[in-house]
Amino acid sequence: MSPAPFPSRDLSMGLAALRDGITSGDIAERVDFAPGVSLIADAPLDVGGTWRSPAGRLLELDISMAGRGNWIALHMALDLPDLADIAFVGFGCTGVGPTQQIIRPCLRSGLDDGGFVDCFLDRHILTRTDAIPHVDALHVPTCRTLPETAPWRELLLFLPTEPLRWHLHDLRMFAA
C-alpha cells in the first residue's frame, strides 16, 4: 500500500511559503494567502481586518464583521481523491487567541454532480491564550457520509461569525 499524496503539492508549498515568508494584507470576502490556502466568507458578513504571516508562523488573523452572515472558513486544498486504503485522516495545529472561541474543523469532499459533502471532525478547536496542541482525526471506515472517492477534498476550519483574533502557529495534516 502506497500512501496517498497528502496534502496537495500546492498546499504543501503554500504552507511552507507562509512559514518561511513575511507577508500581510487585508481581509476580504475571499483572500488567497498562498497556493492551496484561502479564507472565504459569506458575503453578508461584510468582513474586514488584516492578516499577516510572520516568519515561523502560519497566519495571524484579525477579522471584523460589519454584517451578519452564516459562515467564514479557512480552506486548505487536499490531494486525497481515494480513501480506500486510508483508515484515518486528520490534522494537528497550535495557535493562540486573546479570548476563547470555537473553530470547527471539517473535511469537505466534492461530488461528481458538482455539489459537496461535509464531514465534521468530533473535536472543535478552542482558542486560548496559551498555545496548546490540538489533534483530531476522522476514522474513515465509520464516517458514513464520507465518499470513498471524490474529485477534490479540502480541510476547512470554520471560524466564528463574530470578530476574531487568532494566531495559527502551525498546522500539519496526516492520512494513515
Side-chain angles (χ1 to χ4, degrees), residues 43-88:
L45 272 177
D46 192 16
V47 295
T50 59
W51 68 273
R52 50 184 235 133
S53 180
R57 291 193 181 168
L58 288 181
L59 287 170
E60 294 181 353
L61 301 171
D62 188 357
I63 303 172
S64 61
M65 285 83 172
R68 296 178 65 89
N70 295 317
W71 51 266
I72 180 171
L74 282 172
H75 292 245
M76 288 158 275
L78 305 176
D79 190 5
L80 265 176
D82 186 352
L83 300 176
D85 294 326
I86 296 175
F88 293 96

Side-chain angles (χ1 to χ4, degrees), residues 95-110:
V96 298
T99 60
Q100 289 188 352
Q101 291 182 293
I102 294 172
I103 297 168
R104 302 237 11 239
C106 166
L107 181 62
R108 177 169 285 176
S109 301

Side-chain angles (χ1 to χ4, degrees), residues 11-24 33-35 37 51-61 74 76 91-95 155 157 166-173:
L11 178 60
S12 294
M13 292 171 48
L15 292 175
L18 287 173
R19 280 187 200 97
D20 297 341
I22 300 174
T23 56
S24 63
F33 300 116
V37 184
W51 68 273
R52 50 184 235 133
S53 180
R57 291 193 181 168
L58 288 181
L59 287 170
E60 294 181 353
L61 301 171
L74 282 172
M76 288 158 275
F91 74 100
C93 70
T94 58
L155 175 68
L157 300 180
W166 187 40
H167 295 186
L168 180 59
H169 294 176
D170 199 4
L171 184 135
R172 309 288 170 127
M173 288 168 266

